[in-house]
Amino acid sequence: MKTKHPKGLPFLFFTEMWERFGYYLILGIFVLYVIEPTGLKGGLGLPDKTADDIFGTYIALTYLTPFIGGFLADRVLGYINSIYLGGILMAAGYIGMGVFKDLPLFYGSLALIIIGNGFFKPTISTLLGNLYSEEPYKANKDSGYNIFYMGINIGAFICNIIAAFMRNKFGWGEAFITAGVGMLIGMVIFTIGRKHYIHAAQMKTVKEGDTKLSEIMLKVFVPAIVAGVIGWFIPNNIFGSDSTDAFIFACVPVIYFYASLYFKAKPEEKPSIGALLSVFLISMFFWAVFKQNGTALTRWANYYTDRSVSPSLEKPLESIYMVEGKGYEDKEVPVYDDQYQSQ
């Protein structure tokens, strides 16, 4: 580790681990909380269809904001400041979700997470890459990122156990606050290791031909917002809901922007840009399917899975709040189609 990898790697590893701990803790219980009937320890009591729309919009925006957040980190804020800003905003958003149940404040908390993610997520990976741009670490960049990614997997794994414990023992709010505490722990670790990567956090110099922030806003974001508004208000949903229509319409200017990069590129640059855009396309479909874990797969587990445990395990698991007793009663439930979409 001392010779093959930079000293900053362990600190970035644990910072990212705790950030993903909070992010995936939220995703695992998001829809369940939103559809849980209201009460002292209940949720928001919204219909399944509404919960899916909120979740889908939230996920879509967390993938959109790094587009501008990374740009601002490169040109305006710097990598260290962006990571601090993003981490603090996300921690505040997680804690806000646990404290506030009024819908406007709930949405405001989600907005803090979305904006914070935009600053944090692209920047910490870039900072790690900068550390591996130095000798003698260049040859080990791939293995360094593999180690870094293991931190993501560890955080995503342990958060489910902690989320179940906190929700079953205390409540939904405490579970969300735990995500915020995890994010703050990550920021403390990042601060401790700051001296090991401050030298790699220099902002990039603007070169001739580089895209300007104003150009990004005018060519991508403003048209995307306008298209999204049109999609939202267009009569008769084309893709199933107002939010889905708005998202699909908003994607059109973004896709046009990336396609224009390819067609306007020099002949010798086109193969590399084309390969990168192909990776983007495949990645887009992968994550679209992957994020069904928060909606369709969660709904399947909640409504269609036998989640009872054997009598011999029931008491031990109940003592550590890994299971919850459930009563049985007749009640109305939503109707789903063959794709498990709420009607």
Side-chain angles (χ1 to χ4, degrees):
M1 189 72 145
K2 291 182 179 179
T3 57
K4 291 184 177 181
H5 301 284
K7 291 182 179 179
L9 175 60
F11 298 97
L12 295 180
F13 173 97
F14 284 108
T15 300
E16 180 69 359
M17 185 195 81
W18 282 109
E19 186 273 326
R20 291 290 95 177
F21 168 89
Y23 180 80
Y24 281 109
L25 188 154
I26 294 295
L27 294 194
I29 62 176
F30 189 103
V31 168
L32 297 175
Y33 168 69
V34 174
I35 66 175
E36 178 86 0
T38 57
L40 182 61
K41 286 191 176 183
L44 298 181
L46 299 178
D48 284 56
K49 188 176 180 64
T50 302
D52 287 357
D53 280 346
I54 296 172
F55 180 87
T57 303
Y58 166 70
I59 292 297
L61 292 176
T62 59
Y63 278 87
L64 175 65
T65 50
F67 186 91
I68 189 71
F71 196 98
L72 290 173
D74 280 341
R75 305 288 177 80
V76 181
L77 296 173
Y79 301 128
I80 300 294
N81 291 336
S82 292
I83 290 173
Y84 276 122
L85 177 60
I88 291 170
L89 287 176
M90 284 191 288
Y94 294 145
I95 294 172
M97 288 181 69
V99 173
F100 304 117
K101 282 196 172 183
D102 294 335
L103 275 180
L105 293 176
F106 174 76
Y107 290 141
S109 298
L110 290 181
L112 291 177
I113 300 170
I114 290 165
I115 296 170
N117 177 81
F119 288 113
F120 186 98
K121 191 58 183 169
T123 309
I124 192 168
S125 299
T126 301
L127 184 58
L128 180 67
N130 289 349
L131 288 178
Y132 280 94
S133 297
E134 308 163 349
E135 294 292 354
Y137 310 120
K138 284 185 177 180
N140 298 309
K141 179 178 280 191
D142 287 348
S143 61
Y145 271 106
N146 285 335
I147 294 170
F148 181 74
Y149 202 85
M150 284 304 298
I152 296 175
N153 291 333
I154 293 170
F157 174 74
I158 63 175
C159 73
N160 297 287
I161 300 170
I162 303 301
F165 174 83
M166 294 302 296
R167 187 270 173 193
N168 291 337
K169 183 172 175 59
F170 300 106
W172 294 106
E174 288 78 358
F176 289 129
I177 291 172
T178 301
V181 172
M183 185 68 255
L184 292 175
I185 292 173
M187 297 314 301
V188 170
I189 295 172
F190 180 76
T191 302
I192 294 172
R194 191 172 184 268
K195 63 182 179 181
H196 296 301
Y197 29 76
I198 187 68
H199 65 282
Q202 304 303 314
M203 287 191 292
K204 295 181 179 179
T205 57
V206 180
K207 300 178 181 179
E208 186 179 352
D210 283 353
T211 304
K212 298 179 180 179
L213 178 59
S214 58
E215 189 177 352
I216 292 289
M217 297 301 295
L218 290 174
K219 290 185 176 181
V220 182
F221 275 86
V222 172
I225 292 171
V226 172
V229 171
I230 294 173
W232 182 275
F233 289 105
I234 196 168
N236 301 321
N237 297 138
I238 300 175
F239 299 103
S241 68
D242 289 336
S243 60
T244 304
D245 285 356
F247 173 73
I248 297 298
F249 274 62
C251 284
V252 174
V254 179
I255 294 172
Y256 175 81
F257 171 76
Y258 278 112
S260 67
L261 294 179
Y262 176 80
F263 289 110
K264 293 179 181 179
K266 298 176 182 178
E268 63 271 19
E269 295 175 340
K270 283 190 174 183
S272 298
I273 295 176
L276 189 59
L277 293 178
S278 298
V279 172
F280 284 177
L281 182 63
I282 295 169
S283 179
M284 179 182 71
F285 283 108
F286 168 79
W287 288 109
V289 173
F290 180 86
K291 293 305 179 183
Q292 299 304 306
N293 57 4
T295 51
L297 294 180
T298 296
R299 179 173 299 114
W300 175 267
N302 193 38
Y303 295 131
Y304 298 96
T305 304
D306 180 3
R307 292 174 288 144
S308 59
V309 297
S310 63
S312 61
L313 293 175
E314 185 174 334
K315 290 299 180 184
L317 290 175
E318 191 174 15
S319 66
I320 58 173
Y321 300 94
M322 288 294 106
V323 296
E324 180 186 27
K326 286 288 187 182
Y328 293 90
E329 58 182 277
D330 294 332
K331 65 177 183 180
E332 293 182 354
V333 298
V335 177
Y336 302 99
D337 61 18
D338 58 355
Q339 299 298 317
Y340 301 102
Q341 294 177 313
S342 178
Q343 299 299 294

